[in-house]
Amino acid sequence: MCVCVSMYYKDSKTFKIKTSYNRMKRGNLFTQVNSQLSTCPLIPVNKVLKPFFLLSVLIAFLLILSDGVEAAAGTNKVTNIGAIIDGNSRTGKEEKTAMEIAVQNFNNISRNHKLSLHFKHPEGDPLQAAYAAEELIKEKKVEVIIGMDKWEEAALVANIGNQSQVPILSFATPARTPILTSLRWPFLIRMASDGSEQMRCIAALVHSYNWKRVVLIYEDDVLGSEYGNLALLTDALQEVGSEIEYRLVLPPFSFLTDPKDVVQDELMKLKHRTEARVFIVLQSSLPMLACIFGEAKKAGLVGNDTVWIVANSITSFLDSVDNPFFSSMKGTLGIKTYYSSNSSYKRFEGLFQKIFRSEYLNENDFQPGIQALRAYDSIGIVTQAIEKLGSNITSPNFFLNSVLESDFTGLSGRIRFKDGMLSDAPTLRIVNVDGKKCKELDFWLPNCGFSDTLYLEQGKGRCINSDGGKTSRGLSGPVIWPGDLNGRDPKGWAMPTEAKPLRIVVPRRTSFNKFVTFRSGEKRPVGFCVDLFDEVVRRLNYSIPHVFVPFDGQYGDMIEGVYNKTYDAAIGDITILAERSEYVEFTQPYAESGLSMIVPLETEDTTWIFVKPFNLEMWMVSGAIFIYTMLIIWFLERQTNPEFRGPWKYQFGTAFWFTFSSLFFAQREKLYSNFTRVVVVAWLCVVFILTSSYTASLTSMLTVQRMKPNFSEFEKLKNDKLNVGCNNESFIQEYVKDVLGFDHDKIKIFNPENDYTSTDFERNNIAAAFLELPYERLFLNQHCKSYTSTKATYRFGGFGFAFQKGSPFAADFSREILCLSEDGNITLLEEKWFAPSPECSTSATNNNIESLSLRSFKGIYIVSAAISTICFLLFLIRLLRNSRPHQEADGGHLTPGGKSGSSSGERITKYFYNGEKTRVPRRASTFAQAR
C-alpha cells in the first residue's frame, strides 16, 4: 500500500494536473482534479497510513492556492470606459442595459483583462455632458467615452477628447456632416450615419403616391438640432417634384404649461392655412407625439385622405408604448432602421429582456431597439481593439487607429468606418401602425429604392428607382390608412365635403358663350367647358361636391384667385401659359391653342380667269404637244397632200391651221396618209379630254365667287401701320405688342362673337384681327363666306382647367381628359357646342378651286406623243425603202468625178424641201390622180 501511494506522487500525472489547471478557470480545476483523483482506486482509511494521506491533501491545497494567486495577478489590467447617456429616457435605459451585458460577456471570458463601466447622466444638457466627460477622464481615468445621443453633446465632448487624447464613440452624427469634421475632431468616432438616406426614403414615399405638398411638424429643442434634417428633407422633396408647404414648429414639451392648448391652436392655424394633408413628424418626444395625434384627431386632421409619416427617431421607441397610444396613430407610416434577427440577436434579446424587465419595472415593453444594438456593438469595437493591441492599449493613437480599422458584422449591421463615421448606409424599412402594433412593409434600399425583399434576385422582388427615373404605384403590401378609404390610396389633400364644397371660379364673360356662360335666372353655368367638367367628375372614383362662382374680370385675376386660395379651381377657356403654370396646377389641355389672324375676304379680279383652269406647267406642256403633233402631221402629209405643198409659209400655215382647228373639230383638209389619220385620232382624243376638263373647270370658277384675303402676312399690316383687333384678353394684347411688334395704339379691342362684317371692320378701322385657334374656328363656323384665317404660326399650351398647386385633382382630371380624348367623347362634345352654321357646313363654301395640273393629263400626253413618234418612224423607214429602186435605176450614170449623179439622201432632201413635183415610182398613179 505504501508503494501505491509513493507511485501516485511520483507519477507524471501529478505534473499534468498542475499544468492543465494553470490554463483553466477555477471551477474547471476542481472538476479536473476530481477526475484525476478518481483514476486511482480509493484506499480505505483503515488501510492507509494517516501521515501520507494528510501530506497529499496538503500538497493539493497548496497547488490550488498558488494558482489562485497567479490568476489574481493576471487580472490586474482594467480598462475604464465612460458612458454618457440619459438614464431617464427609454433610449438611455436600453443603452445602459446593452452596454452592461456586453461588458459582462467580455469579463466572463477574459482572464487577464477586465472592463469597467462608469455612467454619467447629463439629462440632455450639452454642457453637463462636457463636464461629465472631464470628470470621467480626470477622476475615473477612462480610456474611451461612449454615448451622446445628441450631436450637440457629442461635439462638446469631442473637444474634451481632443484635449485629453481620449477616443469618443458617439451615437449621434450631424444631419449634414461638415467637410472638416475629421480634422477638427480626430478622436471622434460616430457610430451612426447622417440623415440623408432617411430623408431620401421619406421623399421617395411621398413621390410614389404623387403627393405634391406636405406639412412638416417637429418639436424644436433649445439648440435647433433638426435644422440639418429639415434642409435635407427640403432638397430631397424638391428632387421628386414636391415641396414643404407649411412648417409647424412646436416648443419643447417641458417648456409648456398647457401643451394641449398650444398644440390645438397651432393645428387649427395649420388647418385653415393649407390644403395639404400629408404630415411628416420629423422629431418629437413621446409626450409631445401623444399630444399631437390626440389633438389632430379632434381637429379632423387624422381621417380620410390624410397621411401621417414619422421619422426613425420616433419609430424607434414606438414598440415601447402601450396600446392606447397605438390606437391614436392608426394608419401612420414610419421609417425604421432594419437589423437582422439572427441567432446572435436572439441570444442577446433573451438576456436583454430578462435584465431590463427586472431593472425597469415601470416600462411596458422589453424589446431592444436599434440604439441598444449600437450600444452593444460599441463595446464590441472596444474589446476587439483591446484584443488586437494587447499591451499597447495605453497608447491613445494606437487605440484610435485600431478602432477605426474595425470591420465586423454586429447586431446593428456592418461595422466599418470611413472618415470617422459608419461607411455603410443603413437599410431602412417602412412600418405601418395598424392600431395594435407596427406592421412591417417594404424595405428601402439606398441604391435601389422600395423593395418587398431585402436581397433582390433577377426577376424577383420589386425594386424601383434603379435608374433614378422610375416610380412605383406605392407600397407593395396592403397599407392601413387613416379613416376608411374603400380600398384606394389617400389624396393627401383637404377633400371637399357638402359642408365645404370645392369653390370653382367661372368667367362670367367669355369671347364665345359656347365655352361657358351664365344664363339669366340660372345659377349654374352652361357650355362646353361645364359639360366637360361634369363628364370628368362623373368618371372619377370619388365624389367632389362643388359650387360654381361667377367672376367678372380678366383671366389673370382668376388665376391669382386660385393661387391665393380664394378659389380651389378655375374652369373655362383658360389658356395654359408658362407664367401661369408657376402659380397654379394645370390639367392636360382639352383644346389646341395658337394665335391665328382673321382677315376679310374680297372678290378676286376675274380678268384673266380664263387661263386659270390650267396651271402654267399644263399650258406649257399642252403647247409643246400641240407643236409636236403639227410637225408630225406636216411631215406625213407633205408627200401626198397638195394642201401641204407650196411655199414655206403656206405649208406651215396649213399645218398650224389644221392642228388648231382640230381643237374645235372644225378641220376641212382631206388626209391622204393612213399614218396621219392615226396621229390625228390620237390628237383628237387629247383634244376632247382637254376641252372637256377646261370647260368644267372654268365653269366652276365662274360659278363660285372668287374670294381672297386682303392680307396674308401680318408683317404688311405692321409695316403699313394698320389697326388690328384683339378680343378682350390681356395676354393676347401683350403678345401682339411684345412678340409681333405692333404699336400699342394700333391694337383695338373687339368682340368676335358679335355679327361682324367687312363694313364693321372698316367702321372700326380694323384691317385684321388676332384670335386664338379655338375662337378662330368658332368665328369661321359662322362667317366662313366673309372671312378667312391664316395658319396658326405661334403656338400656346392649349385650353385647360386650373387647380391649386399640389392639388391631386389636377392629375386625376388630366388622366380623365386623356381618356375622353382617346374614346372620342370630347369630339362629341365639340360637335354639340361648336357645330358650324348651315351655310358653312357644306363643301360648296370652299371657293378656292385649284387649277388643273399636268399630273392629271400626263398619261394621255404620253400616249399621243408615242403614237405620233411611232407613225413618224414607220413612215420614215418606208420612205427610205422606196428610195432604193430609184437609186439602182440611176446607178450607171456617173458624174465626172466617178460618182453617181445623186445619192438617196440628196434625193430625199430635194424631194422634201423644193417646191417641184416629184414622182415616186410605186405611187405614180396616186399622184396623177391627185393632180
Side-chain angles (χ1 to χ4, degrees):
M1 304 302 295
C2 295
V3 175
C4 179
V5 174
S6 176
M7 290 179 65
Y8 173 78
Y9 287 110
K10 291 181 180 181
D11 195 348
S12 61
K13 290 182 179 180
T14 305
F15 299 99
K16 291 181 180 179
I17 292 173
K18 183 175 181 180
T19 303
S20 176
Y21 178 81
N22 290 334
R23 296 195 186 104
M24 298 175 62
K25 298 180 181 179
R26 182 171 300 172
N28 293 336
L29 175 63
F30 285 115
T31 303
Q32 187 165 349
V33 169
N34 291 333
S35 64
Q36 293 293 340
L37 289 175
S38 64
T39 58
C40 183
L42 295 176
I43 302 175
V45 177
N46 59 352
K47 296 183 179 181
V48 180
L49 298 176
K50 288 184 178 181
F52 291 101
F53 178 75
L54 295 175
L55 181 62
S56 64
V57 173
L58 178 63
I59 291 174
F61 176 79
L62 291 176
L63 289 174
I64 294 172
L65 181 64
S66 65
D67 188 77
V69 173
E70 183 178 357
T75 60
N76 58 359
K77 179 57 180 173
V78 178
T79 298
N80 294 312
I81 300 175
I84 300 177
I85 60 175
D86 184 4
N88 296 324
S89 66
R90 166 74 187 204
T91 301
K93 295 175 183 178
E94 291 185 9
E95 292 170 347
K96 180 176 180 297
T97 303
M99 285 190 283
E100 289 175 344
I101 292 174
V103 169
Q104 185 64 35
N105 290 342
F106 178 80
N107 290 340
N108 288 340
I109 63 175
S110 178
R111 185 170 164 273
N112 58 358
H113 206 123
K114 302 297 180 183
L115 300 180
S116 179
L117 268 175
H118 303 277
F119 288 98
K120 289 292 182 180
H121 307 287
E123 298 181 356
D125 189 349
L127 292 177
Q128 292 296 328
Y131 295 148
E134 289 183 346
E135 184 179 351
L136 289 171
I137 294 173
K138 292 179 180 180
E139 297 181 5
K140 303 298 182 181
K141 306 300 181 182
V142 298
E143 299 179 42
V144 61
I145 297 177
I146 302 174
M148 291 75 68
D149 292 311
K150 295 183 178 180
W151 171 244
E152 293 76 16
E153 296 176 347
L156 293 179
V157 173
N159 291 329
I160 306 300
N162 286 351
Q163 297 173 6
S164 305
Q165 292 191 341
V166 174
I168 309 296
L169 267 70
S170 168
F171 297 150
T173 188
R176 286 184 170 180
T177 304
I179 299 177
L180 301 179
T181 299
S182 299
L183 297 177
R184 183 178 180 181
W185 297 301
F187 282 84
L188 176 63
I189 304 168
R190 287 155 287 160
M191 281 283 297
S193 301
D194 59 23
S196 59
E197 295 301 331
Q198 183 184 186
M199 299 305 111
R200 285 181 56 204
C201 177
I202 294 175
L205 186 60
V206 171
H207 181 52
S208 64
Y209 289 96
N210 199 32
W211 298 321
K212 295 300 182 181
R213 295 203 169 193
V214 303
V215 176
L216 187 65
I217 302 175
Y218 65 92
E219 179 185 0
D220 196 14
D221 55 22
V222 179
L223 302 174
S225 58
E226 287 302 315
Y227 287 132
N229 282 327
L230 175 60
L232 287 174
L233 181 59
T234 302
D235 294 342
L237 289 173
Q238 288 179 350
E239 290 180 0
V240 298
S242 301
E243 62 178 317
I244 299 174
E245 184 179 15
Y246 191 90
R247 294 179 178 88
L248 175 55
V249 183
L250 297 172
F253 188 84
S254 58
F255 287 9
L256 302 176
T257 58
D258 194 351
K260 290 187 177 181
D261 288 344
V262 174
V263 172
Q264 184 181 25
D265 292 342
E266 293 297 329
L267 289 176
M268 293 307 295
K269 293 178 184 178
L270 180 155
K271 183 177 181 180
H272 292 96
R273 292 180 181 178
T274 177
E275 301 293 326
R277 293 296 182 265
V278 179
F279 305 102
I280 300 175
V281 186
L282 198 59
Q283 172 61 37
S284 175
S285 62
L286 192 59
M288 179 62 79
L289 187 69
C291 187
I292 290 174
F293 275 92
E295 297 304 316
K297 199 166 186 177
K298 294 178 183 178
L301 296 177
V302 180
N304 289 347
D305 290 293
T306 63
V307 182
W308 287 84
I309 303 173
V310 296
N312 186 28
S313 60
I314 300 173
T315 311
S316 60
F317 58 70
L318 284 183
D319 293 333
S320 63
V321 299
D322 52 6
N323 287 338
F325 192 90
F326 272 108
S327 61
S328 64
M329 294 183 63
K330 183 178 180 181
T332 301
L333 295 177
I335 312 299
K336 186 177 182 180
T337 303
Y338 171 78
Y339 50 86
S340 176
S341 300
N342 51 25
S343 57
S344 299
Y345 172 80
K346 294 295 184 182
R347 290 193 296 269
F348 169 78
E349 181 187 31
L351 187 58
F352 179 90
Q353 290 177 347
K354 180 179 179 181
I355 297 175
F356 197 82
R357 182 182 291 107
S358 63
E359 189 170 353
Y360 302 104
L361 300 177
N362 59 339
E363 293 291 338
N364 298 318
D365 186 80
F366 311 107
Q367 192 74 15
I370 185 64
Q371 290 299 101
L373 304 183
R374 286 179 177 169
Y376 183 90
D377 289 339
S378 65
I379 300 298
I381 294 173
V382 174
T383 58
Q384 284 200 5
I386 291 173
E387 293 175 354
K388 185 184 301 183
L389 295 176
S391 60
N392 293 330
I393 186 65
T394 56
S395 174
N397 289 321
F398 287 167
F399 181 69
L400 177 66
N401 292 332
S402 180
V403 170
L404 293 175
E405 292 173 358
S406 300
D407 189 356
F408 65 97
T409 301
L411 297 181
S412 61
R414 183 77 176 270
I415 304 296
R416 56 180 177 177
F417 297 98
K418 180 180 181 181
D419 299 330
M421 183 177 67
L422 286 179
S423 60
D424 293 281
T427 300
L428 303 176
R429 191 160 195 177
I430 311 299
V431 298
N432 186 205
V433 179
D434 62 0
K436 297 181 180 179
K437 60 180 181 178
C438 288
K439 181 180 66 174
E440 294 181 340
L441 299 177
D442 283 4
F443 294 95
W444 164 256
L445 307 179
N447 297 324
C448 179
F450 291 116
S451 173
D452 51 7
T453 58
L454 181 59
Y455 302 103
L456 297 177
E457 300 179 7
Q458 186 69 26
K460 297 182 179 181
R462 180 174 146 273
C463 182
I464 64 166
N465 291 339
S466 57
D467 58 355
K470 295 181 179 179
T471 60
S472 74
R473 295 181 180 177
L475 300 173
S476 60
V479 182
I480 298 174
W481 301 105
D484 185 11
L485 296 181
N486 297 322
R488 66 176 178 86
D489 297 325
K491 296 298 180 183
W493 196 259
M495 298 295 287
T497 61
E498 295 295 339
K500 189 181 178 181
L502 203 69
R503 289 174 55 85
I504 302 174
V505 61
V506 180
R508 186 183 294 275
R509 294 173 301 170
T510 62
S511 297
F512 283 90
N513 292 336
K514 291 186 177 182
F515 280 99
V516 61
T517 185
F518 283 87
R519 293 173 179 173
S520 58
E522 297 182 5
K523 294 183 178 180
R524 201 177 194 278
V526 295
F528 170 80
C529 297
V530 178
D531 283 0
L532 178 61
F533 178 86
D534 292 340
E535 182 64 22
V536 171
V537 171
R538 188 185 64 82
R539 297 167 70 107
L540 294 176
N541 60 350
Y542 54 91
S543 62
I544 303 182
H546 58 275
V547 294
F548 294 107
V549 181
F551 183 83
D552 289 312
Q554 299 291 332
Y555 283 54
D557 298 332
M558 290 174 52
I559 299 298
E560 178 68 22
V562 177
Y563 170 70
N564 60 28
K565 297 181 176 59
T566 304
Y567 310 105
D568 298 298
I571 70 169
D573 48 342
I574 304 172
T575 306
I576 302 173
L577 300 175
E579 181 182 3
R580 294 175 177 176
S581 63
E582 296 179 2
Y583 303 98
V584 295
E585 195 91 16
F586 280 106
T587 64
Q588 285 287 330
Y590 59 82
E592 183 184 6
S593 179
L595 191 63
S596 179
M597 185 177 71
I598 292 180
V599 294
L601 287 171
E602 61 181 12
T603 304
E604 186 178 355
D605 184 14
T606 57
T607 304
W608 297 96
I609 195 173
F610 66 91
V611 299
K612 291 189 175 181
F614 293 159
N615 60 14
L616 178 61
E617 183 183 27
M618 185 68 179
W619 282 115
M620 294 178 62
V621 174
S622 298
I625 197 69
F626 173 83
I627 295 174
Y628 182 72
T629 304
M630 179 192 72
L631 294 176
I632 294 296
I633 292 174
W634 171 81
F635 182 81
L636 296 177
E637 289 295 312
R638 176 65 179 82
Q639 291 186 57
T640 58
N641 196 334
E643 298 293 337
F644 289 87
R645 296 181 183 177
W648 284 97
K649 294 180 180 181
Y650 180 80
Q651 293 183 36
F652 283 101
T654 302
F656 178 81
W657 170 253
F658 176 83
T659 308
F660 184 78
S661 60
S662 64
L663 295 174
F664 309 99
F665 305 98
Q667 69 277 5
R668 292 183 176 182
E669 290 75 9
K670 184 178 179 181
L671 299 177
Y672 288 84
S673 173
N674 290 328
F675 291 113
T676 307
R677 293 187 179 96
V678 174
V679 171
V680 170
V681 168
W683 170 245
L684 290 178
C685 291
V686 174
V687 169
F688 176 77
I689 294 174
L690 288 179
T691 54
S692 300
S693 302
Y694 178 87
T695 303
S697 179
L698 182 61
T699 302
S700 299
M701 291 181 177
L702 294 175
T703 302
V704 178
Q705 185 182 12
R706 299 291 295 178
M707 306 290 289
K708 69 175 183 178
N710 54 3
F711 292 98
S712 59
E713 297 293 338
F714 72 87
E715 291 292 343
K716 181 172 177 55
L717 294 169
K718 184 171 60 175
N719 296 334
D720 294 345
K721 302 294 183 180
L722 298 177
N723 292 339
V724 295
C726 293
N727 61 328
N728 191 20
E729 173 58 40
S730 59
F731 102 88
I732 291 293
Q733 300 175 38
E734 296 297 326
Y735 193 90
V736 172
K737 182 182 69 174
D738 298 337
V739 179
L740 302 187
F742 283 88
D743 296 336
H744 180 72
D745 57 350
K746 298 297 181 182
I747 302 174
K748 307 298 180 181
I749 303 300
F750 82 110
N751 187 354
E753 197 166 20
N754 289 345
D755 190 14
Y756 266 78
T757 61
S758 58
T759 57
D760 296 321
F761 267 71
E762 294 174 0
R763 184 182 59 195
N764 291 278
N765 198 22
I766 297 176
F770 288 98
L771 296 176
E772 290 187 74
L773 194 57
Y775 302 149
E776 172 256 329
R777 290 173 179 171
L778 280 177
F779 185 83
L780 294 183
N781 280 346
Q782 305 300 322
H783 309 284
C784 59
K785 292 190 175 182
S786 302
Y787 297 89
T788 189
S789 65
T790 61
K791 185 178 180 181
T793 306
Y794 299 91
R795 299 285 179 178
F796 305 134
F799 285 178
F801 300 151
F803 291 89
Q804 291 181 14
K805 274 287 188 179
S807 172
F809 303 130
D812 294 344
F813 269 67
S814 295
R815 183 184 65 252
E816 297 303 330
I817 287 174
L818 291 176
C819 293
L820 288 171
S821 298
E822 293 171 2
D823 58 24
N825 282 315
I826 286 187
T827 303
L828 296 177
L829 289 177
E830 290 175 348
E831 293 175 355
K832 172 185 174 182
W833 287 99
F834 307 143
S837 62
E839 61 180 3
C840 296
S841 60
T842 61
S843 58
T845 58
N846 182 15
N847 54 22
N848 296 321
I849 301 175
E850 296 183 358
S851 301
L852 298 176
S853 63
L854 179 63
R855 182 178 56 185
S856 304
F857 301 92
K858 182 166 57 177
I860 190 63
Y861 280 166
I862 293 175
V863 171
S864 176
I867 292 174
S868 299
T869 303
I870 293 172
C871 291
F872 168 76
L873 293 176
L874 292 175
F875 181 81
L876 186 60
I877 293 172
R878 181 178 177 182
L879 181 63
L880 292 174
R881 185 184 301 165
N882 292 338
S883 66
R884 289 178 184 174
H886 184 76
Q887 182 180 359
E888 292 174 356
D890 296 337
H893 303 283
L894 300 176
T895 63
K899 297 181 180 180
S900 303
S902 63
S903 65
S904 62
E906 290 176 347
R907 288 180 177 272
I908 293 174
T909 302
K910 182 178 180 182
Y911 177 79
F912 283 110
Y913 290 100
N914 59 24
E916 300 175 357
K917 299 177 181 180
T918 308
R919 292 177 179 269
V920 178
R922 297 178 61 182
R923 296 299 299 259
S925 60
T926 304
F927 282 112
Q929 293 176 1
R931 296 305 297 170

